[in-house]
Amino acid sequence: MTQPASPAQQDAPVTTAKSAPAVSGRRPLGLHLDVRNLSLLGVLAALIAVGGITKPDEFLATSNLQLVLTQASVIGVVTVGMTFVITSGGIDLSVGAIVALASVWATTVATQEYGFAGILFTALIVGVGCGLVNGLLIAYGGMVPFIATLAMLAAARGLALQITDGKTQIVTVNSVLDLGIKDAYILGIPPLVLVFAAVTAVGWLVLNRTTFGRRTVAVGGNAEAARLAGIDVRRQRLYLYLLSGLCCGIAAFMLIVLAGSGQNTNGNLYELDAIAAAIIGGTLLSGGRGTIAGSVLGVLVFTTITNIFALNNLESAVQQIAKGAIIVAAVLIQHRTLRGGEA
């Protein structure tokens, strides 16, 4: 007569059966993530091919490629900060306005009297200050990120307009302007591109290799579970908006170097471009997952599209339609990825 199985023997098959789906559920998700980045690389390669075919002499010129990378650098730095915020489940609609405010505040006559250091310090401190206000309102004031940052958008734009009185503020500090000339290039690479590369590298390390990054993902995935695990959710959110403000300050200084001036219209629609780049790169708008590498690829895709359209004298309306189609496709891919990961 067969002996009945012991309790341990009875539990073992159940445990195995439960653990198997968990492992198999993670593998498709990782596969989809790799496919997404490879797809973005494929899109970027296709765009480069289109540019090379339609305008080979102009698009593939070294000066034009340097221009594309330089233009991508400014919005790219903003996108790095935005990626952290979205990964945490938040949003920042004020990044473009903060860039504008920081750029005009840093280029006033009074600020320029302090030279290079004065302009750089002012741009950074204004960006961090705005991020601090956003963080306090959201983390400790209980305001919805959409509303808080929308209010900052309006306030920062208004203050930037008041400071400039609608006029362009010309930079006269040669040490700042010199960073934008070809003599300052290092091995043919513009200094602004190197700054973007450094910010990207630091952002990737922080998000993927530090406890700060793990806390960011945890807060975005489930804020209540993160709180129960011992994470100070409010303080983490404050830090994230400070980080976003810092990135805006860096971008503002880069824009000053690039344009040689400060204007209240600087950073127009940067918030939409940064959000779009992060989303098509694979960062979940609902939070819980973010990728710096994907966000950078998203920035390069959008910047390359803009450059190709400009070289071919195509209407900006068609360009916006193309961007919208890419965003929709990216969101659809995200939904399919999530369903595949849960299957």
Side-chain angles (χ1 to χ4, degrees), residues 51-69:
I53 293 172
T54 57
K55 293 287 183 179
D57 295 333
E58 299 175 24
F59 180 79
L60 297 177
T62 302
S63 58
N64 184 63
L65 296 178
Q66 290 172 336
L67 176 63
V68 170
L69 291 175

Side-chain angles (χ1 to χ4, degrees), residues 161-245:
L161 178 60
Q162 185 177 29
I163 291 174
T164 61
D165 195 24
K167 300 176 182 178
T168 300
Q169 298 179 163
I170 304 300
V171 177
T172 59
V173 180
N174 291 329
S175 56
V176 173
L177 298 175
D178 288 345
L179 291 176
I181 63 177
K182 289 188 176 182
D183 290 342
Y185 289 8
I186 301 175
L187 299 177
I189 303 175
L192 299 187
V193 177
L194 296 177
V195 172
F196 175 39
V199 171
T200 299
V202 172
W204 187 90
L205 289 172
V206 171
L207 184 60
N208 296 282
R209 294 292 185 268
T210 67
T211 55
F212 182 89
R214 288 192 288 272
R215 291 193 191 106
T216 300
V217 174
V219 170
N222 190 322
E224 181 60 21
R227 186 187 67 81
L228 294 175
I231 297 175
D232 191 330
V233 175
R234 294 189 299 178
R235 184 173 61 186
Q236 184 69 18
R237 285 174 174 161
L238 174 62
Y239 288 162
L240 289 167
Y241 281 96
L242 284 173
L243 176 60
S244 179

Side-chain angles (χ1 to χ4, degrees), residues 33 36-37 40 277-284 289-291 294-295 334:
L33 289 175
R36 181 189 293 110
N37 284 336
L40 283 175
I279 290 174
I280 72 168
T283 299
L284 283 183
R289 188 182 72 220
T291 164
S295 296
Q334 279 192 357

Side-chain angles (χ1 to χ4, degrees), residues 21 34 50 60 65 87 105 107 130 164 228 253 313:
D34 292 337
V50 170
L60 297 177
L65 296 178
T87 301
W105 206 324
T107 54
C130 291
T164 61
L228 294 175
F253 180 78
N313 297 318

Side-chain angles (χ1 to χ4, degrees), residues 6 11 67 94 111 115 119 126 142 156 174 179 245 249 257 267-269 280-281 289 317 320:
S6 65
D11 290 340
L67 176 63
S94 63
T111 303
I119 293 176
V126 170
N174 291 329
L179 291 176
V257 173
N268 188 34
L269 298 181
I280 72 168
R289 188 182 72 220
Q320 298 303 322

